[in-house]
């Protein structure tokens, strides 16, 4: 898996406020980065810029390989059973693989409408959607929120496996995230 | 990557989901309400102006047009806003499906979800108003030509107001002036002996439908930057 994620002198503005500036990073295959910082410092904004979903105020972000983003928004149809809702993305991603659903232990929940899922279950569903993309670059925004210990370990292990397989993983979280040989970027250092 | 968005199979999957969302009886909230609203207007009109057949036959076509325009506003609230909140367009974008392309699918689905049933409902509405067969035919042809334009205007406005609080009410107000050209030529065809009004309505519709995905896609991208 070939992956690379670079950012050059990024700055991000939200409204009238400059959140961070002069941020550069370069992640090659197999590297993981943990973005830390207090609430509102711009972790989610950074991930959205890295994903190419929003434009930085200054600087440039480039990506090699497909990008997948996990954030607080589930992007699953609330009224549909989980299985059907995931099927839409599985169809678009062209995968018949049941592995993501099993890995996130969602097999028993496939008939449950998405709107009845708990916070942790929703997070697991979003993770299954992310696994299905087979993307090289993972951008995880608070992936451990609401997860129980077991699911937490699973997500950390999956991220480690992803990096070991040559992927790139960026985790934005104020919690600890146990992945070996990760780099840590404290966004407070770039605050203006 | 980006070319993948034009893979016809993926477009069909997108259209399939959009239709499931928007068709009456589907997951969308609007359902058959716009149709009932449309029929209610046709039913109430004779009560308001009196049952004179001559008056009804002369003005009924125009009433159907106004009712159709207002009915087209009702489904706009959830047309784009729900998916924007859910992050659907973000996830599509990451899969190389541009916002414009997603809006092409949404436009088709929106038209298919409301226009054919509206045309069907025009028949009982025309009967309630006592329209002649000839007038009914012109109304039907006019609506057939005009509804793609109404759907396009609706989509643009729904995308523009999707990220706003109270966007639904604003959507209604914004749709009306944009839909006036369609109304003028579509309803105007009733007063003419030739078909030029219908052709002009169709031309406006096509132009609006061509512009709508670009405008709506741009609106969704702009909403992200907020």
């Amino acid at each position: 898996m070939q992956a690379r994620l670079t950012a050059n002198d990024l700055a991000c503005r939200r409204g009238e406020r400059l959140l961070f500036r002069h941020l550069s990073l370069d992640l090659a295959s197999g590297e993981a980065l943990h973005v830390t910082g207090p609430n509102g410092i711009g972790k989610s904004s950074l991930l959205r810029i890295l994903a190419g979903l929003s434009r930085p105020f200054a600087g440039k972000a480039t990506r090699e390989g497909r990008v997948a983003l996990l954030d607080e928004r589930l992007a699953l149809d609330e009224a549909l059973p989980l299985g059907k809702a995931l099927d839409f993305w599985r169809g678009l991603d062209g995968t018949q693989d049941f592995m993501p659903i099993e890995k996130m232990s969602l097999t028993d929940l496939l008939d449950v409408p998405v709107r009845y899922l708990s916070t942790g279950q929703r997070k697991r569903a979003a993770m299954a959607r992310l696994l299905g993309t087979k993307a090289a670059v993972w951008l995880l925004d608070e992936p451990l929120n609401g997860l129980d210990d077991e699911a937490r370990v699973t997500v950390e292990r999956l991220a480690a496996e992803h990096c070991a397989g040559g992927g790139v993983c960026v985790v934005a979280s104020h919690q600890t995230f146990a992945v070996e040989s990760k780099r840590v970027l404290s966004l407070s250092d770039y605050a203006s | 990557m980006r070319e993948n968005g034009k893979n016809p199979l993926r477009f069909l999957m997108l259209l399939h989901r959009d239709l499931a969302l928007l068709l009456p009886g589907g997951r969308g909230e609007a359902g058959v309400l716009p149709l009932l609203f449309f029929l209610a207007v046709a039913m109430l009109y004779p009560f308001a102006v009196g049952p004179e057949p001559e008056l009804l036959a002369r003005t009924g076509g125009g009433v159907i047009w106004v009712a159709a325009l207002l009915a087209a506003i009702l489904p706009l609230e959830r047309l784009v806003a729900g998916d924007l909140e859910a992050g659907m367009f973000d996830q599509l974008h990451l899969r190389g499906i541009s916002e414009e392309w997603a809006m092409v699918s949404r436009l088709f689905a929106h038209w298919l979800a409301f226009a054919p049933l509206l045309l069907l409902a025009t028949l009982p509405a025309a009967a309630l108003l006592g329209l002649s067969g000839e007038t009914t035919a012109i109304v039907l042809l006019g609506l057939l030509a005009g509804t793609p334009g109404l759907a396009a205007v609706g989509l643009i406005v729904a995308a523009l107001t999707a990220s706003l609080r109270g966007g639904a009410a604003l959507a209604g107000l914004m749709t009306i002036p944009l839909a006036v050209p369609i109304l003028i030529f579509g309803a105007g065809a009733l007063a003419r002996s030739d078909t030029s009004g219908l052709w002009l309505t169709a031309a406006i519709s096509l132009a609006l439908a061509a512009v709508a995905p670009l405008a709506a896609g741009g609106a969704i991208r702009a909403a992200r930057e907020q």
Side-chain angles (χ1 to χ4, degrees):
Chain A
M1 199 186 291
Q2 267 307 309
R4 185 146 188 212
L5 187 65
T6 59
N8 199 354
D9 202 19
L10 284 186
C12 169
R13 195 179 70 166
R14 202 166 169 82
E16 293 296 298
R17 232 154 49 87
L18 202 58
L19 289 176
F20 55 79
R21 57 182 175 173
H22 302 316
L23 190 154
S24 300
L25 55 85
D26 187 353
L27 296 170
S29 271
E31 290 192 287
L33 177 74
H34 185 181
V35 182
T36 62
N39 299 135
I41 193 90
K43 299 191 291 290
S44 300
S45 302
L46 172 62
L47 253 56
R48 292 180 67 78
I49 289 171
L50 292 178
L53 286 170
S54 52
R55 276 194 302 265
F57 180 57
K60 197 167 179 285
T62 56
R63 320 148 258 285
E64 263 172 52
R66 291 181 63 186
V67 178
L69 171 74
L70 174 124
D71 60 5
E72 85 282 13
R73 292 184 299 174
L74 197 53
L76 294 173
D77 289 313
E78 296 282 325
L80 281 186
L82 178 60
K84 288 251 164 61
L86 283 173
D87 275 348
F88 171 66
W89 295 114
R90 281 151 53 84
L92 282 184
D93 292 331
T95 173
Q96 297 298 320
D97 200 352
F98 255 96
M99 178 276 288
I101 290 166
E102 282 159 11
K103 279 209 167 143
M104 296 317 298
S105 30
L106 292 165
T107 322
D108 295 337
L109 296 170
L110 291 181
D111 294 331
V112 179
V114 173
R115 65 168 177 273
Y116 293 134
L117 298 181
S118 73
T119 314
Q121 289 168 338
R122 292 169 82 89
K123 214 49 167 199
R124 270 152 58 194
M127 195 66 202
R129 190 198 65 215
L130 178 115
L131 288 169
T133 60
K134 303 246 179 349
V137 179
W138 283 11
L139 303 170
L140 312 178
D141 191 359
E142 300 290 357
L144 303 180
N145 267 11
L147 290 184
D148 56 29
D149 290 342
E150 194 186 329
R152 204 189 153 100
V153 171
T154 309
V155 170
E156 286 172 340
R157 184 169 46 80
L158 286 169
E161 282 172 13
H162 178 66
C163 290
V168 163
C169 182
V170 179
V171 180
S173 176
H174 56 270
Q175 294 168 297
T176 54
F177 193 90
V179 175
E180 268 178 58
S181 71
K182 65 173 181 188
R183 281 156 43 188
V184 176
L185 183 146
S186 171
L187 213 46
S188 317
D189 299 346
Y190 299 89
S192 59
Chain B
M1 279 295 284
R2 200 126 279 246
E3 301 81 59
N4 281 348
K6 288 167 190 79
N7 178 336
L9 201 63
R10 291 176 80 186
F11 182 74
L12 284 181
M13 287 177 199
L14 204 58
L15 189 61
H16 179 259
R17 172 178 177 271
D18 285 353
L19 275 173
L21 202 66
L22 298 173
L23 277 179
R27 279 168 274 140
E29 280 101 301
V32 291
L33 272 182
L35 281 185
L36 294 177
F37 179 83
F38 173 77
L39 283 173
V41 173
M43 209 172 69
L44 287 174
Y45 184 65
F47 287 112
V49 299
E52 282 171 60
E54 202 182 297
L55 177 71
L56 287 180
R58 201 175 70 239
T59 57
V63 171
I64 289 183
W65 261 98
V66 172
L69 200 163
L70 294 178
I73 292 174
L74 287 183
L76 296 187
E77 187 182 358
R78 304 307 291 171
L79 189 57
V80 176
D83 278 356
L84 188 69
E85 272 165 40
M88 274 286 174
F89 299 118
D90 291 351
Q91 293 297 333
L92 289 172
H93 181 103
L94 291 175
R95 284 161 178 79
I97 299 173
S98 67
E99 292 72 19
E100 284 79 5
W101 208 236
M103 286 298 109
V104 170
S105 156
R106 194 57 55 102
L107 180 61
F108 270 115
H110 177 42
W111 185 81
L112 283 171
F114 95 94
L117 284 167
L118 188 79
L119 291 177
L120 211 60
T122 301
L123 296 174
L128 282 168
L129 296 166
L131 299 189
S132 67
E134 200 187 333
T135 313
T136 309
I138 296 175
V139 171
L140 279 174
L141 285 173
L143 284 177
L144 187 65
T147 42
L150 286 181
V153 167
L155 184 72
I156 295 172
V157 171
L160 279 170
T161 57
S163 61
L164 303 178
R165 223 176 277 270
L170 191 63
L173 282 178
M174 282 172 73
T175 306
I176 291 169
L178 289 170
V180 161
I182 303 171
L183 186 69
I184 288 176
F185 291 113
L190 289 161
R192 300 182 65 96
S193 50
D194 55 26
T195 55
S196 57
L198 296 177
W199 289 112
L200 272 169
T201 312
I204 296 170
S205 264
L206 284 178
L208 284 170
V211 174
L214 299 173
I220 288 172
R221 248 199 296 273
R224 274 204 195 111
E225 301 288 337
Q226 287 169 3

